[in-house]
Amino acid sequence: MNSPYLSLDRIDIRILDLLQSESKISNIKLAEMVNLSPTAVLARVQKLTKEGFILGYEARLNPIMLNNGFVVFVEILLDKTTPNVLEEFSEAVQHIPDIVECHMISGGFDFVVKIRCANMDEFRKISGDILWQLPGVKETRSYPVMEVIKETQQIKLKMPAKAKV
């Protein structure tokens, strides 16, 4: 089965790259930057959205200004990894706004979550009142972040080997 990525050409890649850097770019400016008409660019953006390459647009907020600058990564080990326990845990995590990321991992723990909150006091409350109440939690290991060096959602884009030119 071919990857949908292979259906992209250089202009599609350029459009995606520009949009992930500046999602509020006008269609006219985007068209100028990829040397197409505004109508053609709009059609491509709509197609890229319909095909699922573009998931949506959102504002990046400053967590420090919003009293959420404290970051903690937490490894979570479940008491069992049966499908129902994994599903219950995964469902419960969806409803906790302090958890901004959750990833199932392999290794010594089952999940790693990223938590954003105001400070260590707030994290201790989240840990006791929320994390330890999640279904199946047996053990946690916390890693408070001393300094964020790099944080991005941008994806490195390159031309697929068999892409259309």
Side-chain angles (χ1 to χ4, degrees), residues 3 7 12 14 32 46 61 72 85 88 95 105 119 130 145 152-153 157 161-162:
S3 166
S7 69
D12 292 330
R14 180 79 174 128
E32 287 172 11
Q46 289 171 336
L61 306 179
V72 183
V85 173
E88 287 174 24
H95 305 287
I105 58 173
N119 51 42
I130 297 173
V145 173
T152 183
Q153 291 293 311
L157 296 175
K162 296 184 178 189

Side-chain angles (χ1 to χ4, degrees), residues 48-136:
L48 290 166
T49 302
K50 182 179 178 195
E51 291 177 351
F53 289 99
I54 299 171
L55 298 176
Y57 300 89
E58 58 189 35
R60 284 185 23 229
L61 306 179
N62 184 331
I64 294 167
M65 294 185 73
L66 297 166
N67 203 27
N68 273 286
F70 191 70
V71 176
V72 183
F73 289 93
V74 182
E75 294 175 324
I76 299 174
L77 179 66
L78 301 180
D79 57 4
K80 295 184 268 187
T81 54
T82 59
N84 63 324
V85 173
L86 292 170
E87 188 176 313
E88 287 174 24
F89 177 88
S90 299
E91 174 62 27
V93 165
Q94 299 296 324
H95 305 287
I96 302 170
D98 299 303
I99 296 177
V100 295
E101 291 184 30
C102 177
H103 305 273
M104 182 185 282
I105 58 173
S106 65
F109 284 80
D110 300 309
F111 292 90
V112 65
V113 298
K114 178 180 179 182
I115 294 176
R116 279 200 167 277
C117 57
N119 51 42
M120 181 58 87
D121 289 336
E122 186 176 347
F123 171 69
R124 278 199 309 265
K125 185 164 177 44
I126 291 166
S127 180
D129 295 348
I130 297 173
L131 291 181
W132 278 101
Q133 306 310 312
L134 289 169

Side-chain angles (χ1 to χ4, degrees), residues 128-146:
D129 295 348
I130 297 173
L131 291 181
W132 278 101
Q133 306 310 312
L134 289 169
V137 172
K138 176 181 178 181
E139 183 182 338
T140 67
R141 195 170 290 160
S142 302
Y143 303 92
V145 173
M146 294 170 53

